[in-house]
Amino acid sequence: MTITSHSSGDTATGAAPDNEADILALYRARLSKGRATLAELFGSHMEVASSGSWLTTSDGEKFLNCGGYGVFIMGARHPRVVEAVQRQLNTHPVATRILLEPTVARAAEALASIAPRGLERVHFSLSGAEAVETGLKLARAAGRRRIVSMRGGYHGKTMGALSATAKAVYQDPFRPLLADVVHLPYGDPEALRAELSAHPGEDCVIIEPVQGEGGVVLPPQGYLKQVEELVREYEGFLLLDEVQTGMGRLGEWWGADIEDIRPDVLLVGKALGGGVVPVSAAIATDKAFRPFDKDPYVHTGTFSGQPLLMAGVQAAIQVMQEERLVTRARDIGARLLPEITRIARRNLPGLVTEVRGRGLLIGVELAEPGLAGELLIELFNHGVVANHSMNGNSVVRFTPPAVLTEADERFLLDSFDKATRDLVRQAATMPEGGS
């Protein structure tokens, strides 16, 4: 597959003088050879600027950013978030963590104010995987030594999170992982009942309200409520991983709101930093959080709750509220999903298995992984960045921002139409059995 240009233009304002070949060589020499190979599949383009729904490459091309793995719910470089972070940078970016510091307190209050009922205590981290580790440690401190996660679930790649992430290709090089971890079918309450009833009071259940990296897998209606009820019946501990689905991605503040469930700990990340700073959090009930109250040093991180990050959190929550981005996510998704479905069915008969989604988390499942890879490249050729799904490699995933304009929506649909038509032509030339 050859990457083509969809537009032309002058070099992006402020672009660094580095050329793509130099940067690719540095990736190979200093970073990941595999990541360098992946970049070559996309023509070794180098992103150097971003604003709102669009990113710009070093050669001046612009791409609609429907990727970013869910980070950009409010687009890139939202001016209010940038202003808040810049102001904090110029005054007090990093704290001693000994004295009182106001930004972390205000950020925790802001986050608790939008969290599901009963979730009132906050621990901040940097990555989503760190938030998962926080939740797992709270469960262990509460006496739940077993971890129950779902097949297709993705929770990160640190050791505890990786133990819960149900995919051997990520786990096998690093075994042995945590003991007493069970992976059950997603959407099967009876399988969960069997596990919980066999180990009452011992299980920590970690689950996503929609499996994003699993390929945008939606649960059966009522399943999440059944999970909560079963966990309570057998005295388990419930972690709801909303690192990708939270902060409006599903057209609700949280996936927990869809069926009105309350976990012991809710995990949030990605969009929490407003697309400007890396930050995550575990939001817990007062009871679940008690082990952290006993000793201020039992679970810490040098950069947990640092002022620079907390300024971004406060601004991001304010922007989400004042610009009604949760409602916008729901409304834009309600327009995009049926149109993407219509185009896929018309242009890819026999090649597309299903189109599914909720809010601005939309997945297009192809008949085989090779086709998904080809579609990603064709979308790129027509000016759209999308994502693969790490636990569902036949699924192309769209996570567009809630700040899309009508023109942006038309561009996305037009590009998807062209990309799927080109995919059909490419598929016709593929040797039988793959690309």
Side-chain angles (χ1 to χ4, degrees), residues 126-133 155-156 241 243 267-270 279-280:
L126 295 179
S127 70
E130 285 181 273
V132 171
E133 298 289 349
H155 305 288
D241 185 344
V243 170
L267 311 173
V268 56
K270 296 191 184 294
V279 62
S280 64

Side-chain angles (χ1 to χ4, degrees), residues 18 48 56 122 125 152 167 178 191 197 235 255 316 330 343 369 398 423:
D18 309 282
V48 295
T56 304
V122 180
S125 304
K167 190 163 185 178
L178 295 186
S197 63
E235 300 181 328
R330 181 167 60 247
I343 293 168
F398 296 92
L423 179 63

Side-chain angles (χ1 to χ4, degrees), residues 21-37:
D22 290 341
I23 296 301
L24 188 64
L26 286 175
Y27 265 73
R28 279 216 157 79
R30 305 298 181 211
L31 296 166
S32 163
K33 293 179 181 178
R35 182 62 183 81
T37 299

